[in-house]
mmCIF file of all heavy atoms in Angstrom:
data_model
loop_
_atom_site.group_PDB
_atom_site.id
_atom_site.type_symbol
_atom_site.label_atom_id
_atom_site.label_comp_id
_atom_site.label_asym_id
_atom_site.label_seq_id
_atom_site.Cartn_x
_atom_site.Cartn_y
_atom_site.Cartn_z
ATOM 1 N N GLN A 1345 62.672 -83.894 -104.219
ATOM 2 C CA GLN A 1345 62.404 -84.237 -105.615
ATOM 3 C C GLN A 1345 62.382 -82.947 -106.435
ATOM 4 O O GLN A 1345 61.510 -82.093 -106.242
ATOM 5 C CB GLN A 1345 61.070 -84.961 -105.758
ATOM 6 C CG GLN A 1345 60.699 -85.295 -107.194
ATOM 7 C CD GLN A 1345 61.689 -86.241 -107.847
ATOM 8 O OE1 GLN A 1345 61.879 -87.369 -107.410
ATOM 9 N NE2 GLN A 1345 62.343 -85.786 -108.927
ATOM 10 N N LEU A 1346 63.376 -82.791 -107.302
ATOM 11 C CA LEU A 1346 63.411 -81.612 -108.159
ATOM 12 C C LEU A 1346 62.252 -81.665 -109.140
ATOM 13 O O LEU A 1346 61.963 -82.715 -109.732
ATOM 14 C CB LEU A 1346 64.744 -81.544 -108.921
ATOM 15 C CG LEU A 1346 66.009 -81.482 -108.057
ATOM 16 C CD1 LEU A 1346 67.238 -81.423 -108.950
ATOM 17 C CD2 LEU A 1346 65.980 -80.279 -107.122
ATOM 18 N N MET A 1347 61.599 -80.536 -109.332
ATOM 19 C CA MET A 1347 60.413 -80.502 -110.178
ATOM 20 C C MET A 1347 60.722 -80.863 -111.626
ATOM 21 O O MET A 1347 59.929 -81.509 -112.295
ATOM 22 C CB MET A 1347 59.769 -79.105 -110.116
ATOM 23 C CG MET A 1347 59.156 -78.767 -108.767
ATOM 24 S SD MET A 1347 57.851 -79.925 -108.307
ATOM 25 C CE MET A 1347 56.674 -79.613 -109.613
ATOM 26 N N HIS A 1348 61.873 -80.438 -112.116
ATOM 27 C CA HIS A 1348 62.193 -80.713 -113.518
ATOM 28 C C HIS A 1348 62.818 -82.087 -113.717
ATOM 29 O O HIS A 1348 63.102 -82.478 -114.835
ATOM 30 C CB HIS A 1348 63.117 -79.629 -114.075
ATOM 31 C CG HIS A 1348 64.403 -79.476 -113.324
ATOM 32 N ND1 HIS A 1348 64.446 -78.992 -112.034
ATOM 33 C CD2 HIS A 1348 65.675 -79.743 -113.664
ATOM 34 C CE1 HIS A 1348 65.703 -78.965 -111.626
ATOM 35 N NE2 HIS A 1348 66.471 -79.422 -112.585
ATOM 36 N N ARG A 1349 63.048 -82.809 -112.620
ATOM 37 C CA ARG A 1349 63.519 -84.195 -112.645
ATOM 38 C C ARG A 1349 64.831 -84.380 -113.418
ATOM 39 O O ARG A 1349 65.109 -85.458 -113.932
ATOM 40 C CB ARG A 1349 62.454 -85.130 -113.233
ATOM 41 C CG ARG A 1349 61.188 -85.180 -112.425
ATOM 42 C CD ARG A 1349 60.201 -86.199 -112.960
ATOM 43 N NE ARG A 1349 58.975 -86.208 -112.173
ATOM 44 C CZ ARG A 1349 58.816 -86.896 -111.044
ATOM 45 N NH1 ARG A 1349 59.822 -87.629 -110.590
ATOM 46 N NH2 ARG A 1349 57.682 -86.849 -110.384
ATOM 47 N N ALA A 1350 65.627 -83.349 -113.510
ATOM 48 C CA ALA A 1350 66.923 -83.487 -114.187
ATOM 49 C C ALA A 1350 67.881 -84.265 -113.296
ATOM 50 O O ALA A 1350 67.816 -84.168 -112.064
ATOM 51 C CB ALA A 1350 67.505 -82.113 -114.511
ATOM 52 N N PRO A 1351 68.780 -85.038 -113.880
ATOM 53 C CA PRO A 1351 69.730 -85.822 -113.080
ATOM 54 C C PRO A 1351 70.563 -84.942 -112.156
ATOM 55 O O PRO A 1351 71.030 -83.868 -112.554
ATOM 56 C CB PRO A 1351 70.611 -86.496 -114.141
ATOM 57 C CG PRO A 1351 69.758 -86.553 -115.361
ATOM 58 C CD PRO A 1351 68.912 -85.329 -115.327
ATOM 59 N N VAL A 1352 70.732 -85.396 -110.928
ATOM 60 C CA VAL A 1352 71.563 -84.676 -109.953
ATOM 61 C C VAL A 1352 72.999 -85.161 -110.126
ATOM 62 O O VAL A 1352 73.301 -86.334 -109.922
ATOM 63 C CB VAL A 1352 71.077 -84.946 -108.520
ATOM 64 C CG1 VAL A 1352 71.992 -84.258 -107.513
ATOM 65 C CG2 VAL A 1352 69.636 -84.480 -108.349
ATOM 66 N N VAL A 1353 73.889 -84.258 -110.507
ATOM 67 C CA VAL A 1353 75.274 -84.636 -110.800
ATOM 68 C C VAL A 1353 76.249 -84.208 -109.711
ATOM 69 O O VAL A 1353 77.414 -84.598 -109.740
ATOM 70 C CB VAL A 1353 75.719 -84.057 -112.166
ATOM 71 C CG1 VAL A 1353 74.906 -84.651 -113.286
ATOM 72 C CG2 VAL A 1353 75.633 -82.539 -112.178
ATOM 73 N N GLY A 1354 75.793 -83.405 -108.746
ATOM 74 C CA GLY A 1354 76.704 -82.966 -107.696
ATOM 75 C C GLY A 1354 75.957 -82.459 -106.475
ATOM 76 O O GLY A 1354 74.859 -81.901 -106.594
ATOM 77 N N LEU A 1355 76.565 -82.679 -105.307
ATOM 78 C CA LEU A 1355 76.010 -82.197 -104.043
ATOM 79 C C LEU A 1355 77.146 -81.606 -103.213
ATOM 80 O O LEU A 1355 78.211 -82.220 -103.093
ATOM 81 C CB LEU A 1355 75.352 -83.340 -103.269
ATOM 82 C CG LEU A 1355 74.116 -83.992 -103.895
ATOM 83 C CD1 LEU A 1355 73.821 -85.319 -103.222
ATOM 84 C CD2 LEU A 1355 72.912 -83.066 -103.798
ATOM 85 N N VAL A 1356 76.927 -80.415 -102.669
ATOM 86 C CA VAL A 1356 77.937 -79.745 -101.839
ATOM 87 C C VAL A 1356 77.230 -79.080 -100.668
ATOM 88 O O VAL A 1356 76.211 -78.409 -100.851
ATOM 89 C CB VAL A 1356 78.734 -78.683 -102.636
ATOM 90 C CG1 VAL A 1356 79.776 -78.024 -101.749
ATOM 91 C CG2 VAL A 1356 79.392 -79.289 -103.866
ATOM 92 N N VAL A 1357 77.768 -79.278 -99.465
ATOM 93 C CA VAL A 1357 77.258 -78.573 -98.284
ATOM 94 C C VAL A 1357 78.229 -77.443 -97.950
ATOM 95 O O VAL A 1357 79.442 -77.659 -97.847
ATOM 96 C CB VAL A 1357 77.109 -79.532 -97.090
ATOM 97 C CG1 VAL A 1357 76.748 -78.752 -95.829
ATOM 98 C CG2 VAL A 1357 76.034 -80.579 -97.379
ATOM 99 N N LEU A 1358 77.678 -76.242 -97.775
ATOM 100 C CA LEU A 1358 78.468 -75.051 -97.447
ATOM 101 C C LEU A 1358 78.272 -74.724 -95.971
ATOM 102 O O LEU A 1358 77.145 -74.776 -95.451
ATOM 103 C CB LEU A 1358 78.033 -73.864 -98.302
ATOM 104 C CG LEU A 1358 78.014 -74.071 -99.822
ATOM 105 C CD1 LEU A 1358 77.523 -72.813 -100.523
ATOM 106 C CD2 LEU A 1358 79.394 -74.457 -100.337
ATOM 107 N N ASP A 1359 79.358 -74.375 -95.297
ATOM 108 C CA ASP A 1359 79.264 -74.065 -93.866
ATOM 109 C C ASP A 1359 78.743 -72.644 -93.650
ATOM 110 O O ASP A 1359 78.301 -71.974 -94.600
ATOM 111 C CB ASP A 1359 80.612 -74.297 -93.181
ATOM 112 C CG ASP A 1359 81.670 -73.269 -93.596
ATOM 113 O OD1 ASP A 1359 81.348 -72.335 -94.364
ATOM 114 O OD2 ASP A 1359 82.828 -73.381 -93.149
ATOM 115 N N GLY A 1360 78.827 -72.163 -92.419
ATOM 116 C CA GLY A 1360 78.290 -70.840 -92.091
ATOM 117 C C GLY A 1360 78.982 -69.709 -92.817
ATOM 118 O O GLY A 1360 78.404 -68.630 -92.974
ATOM 119 N N ARG A 1361 80.205 -69.911 -93.261
ATOM 120 C CA ARG A 1361 80.927 -68.874 -94.019
ATOM 121 C C ARG A 1361 80.718 -69.007 -95.518
ATOM 122 O O ARG A 1361 81.303 -68.244 -96.290
ATOM 123 C CB ARG A 1361 82.423 -68.950 -93.711
ATOM 124 C CG ARG A 1361 82.794 -68.580 -92.281
ATOM 125 C CD ARG A 1361 84.307 -68.520 -92.108
ATOM 126 N NE ARG A 1361 84.915 -69.823 -92.314
ATOM 127 C CZ ARG A 1361 85.182 -70.703 -91.360
ATOM 128 N NH1 ARG A 1361 84.866 -70.398 -90.108
ATOM 129 N NH2 ARG A 1361 85.735 -71.865 -91.625
ATOM 130 N N GLY A 1362 79.930 -70.001 -95.934
ATOM 131 C CA GLY A 1362 79.723 -70.234 -97.362
ATOM 132 C C GLY A 1362 80.854 -70.989 -98.007
ATOM 133 O O GLY A 1362 81.012 -70.952 -99.228
ATOM 134 N N VAL A 1363 81.650 -71.688 -97.197
ATOM 135 C CA VAL A 1363 82.801 -72.446 -97.701
ATOM 136 C C VAL A 1363 82.439 -73.929 -97.729
ATOM 137 O O VAL A 1363 81.815 -74.438 -96.783
ATOM 138 C CB VAL A 1363 84.032 -72.222 -96.793
ATOM 139 C CG1 VAL A 1363 85.215 -73.060 -97.257
ATOM 140 C CG2 VAL A 1363 84.398 -70.744 -96.767
ATOM 141 N N PRO A 1364 82.792 -74.647 -98.785
ATOM 142 C CA PRO A 1364 82.519 -76.091 -98.811
ATOM 143 C C PRO A 1364 83.173 -76.793 -97.623
ATOM 144 O O PRO A 1364 84.261 -76.421 -97.178
ATOM 145 C CB PRO A 1364 83.140 -76.545 -100.136
ATOM 146 C CG PRO A 1364 83.169 -75.322 -100.988
ATOM 147 C CD PRO A 1364 83.382 -74.179 -100.060
#
Side-chain angles (χ1 to χ4, degrees):
Q1345 177 62 62
L1346 301 180
M1347 292 300 297
H1348 58 292
R1349 297 185 181 276
V1352 177
V1353 296
L1355 295 164
V1356 181
V1357 173
L1358 307 178
D1359 70 3
R1361 293 187 296 267
V1363 177

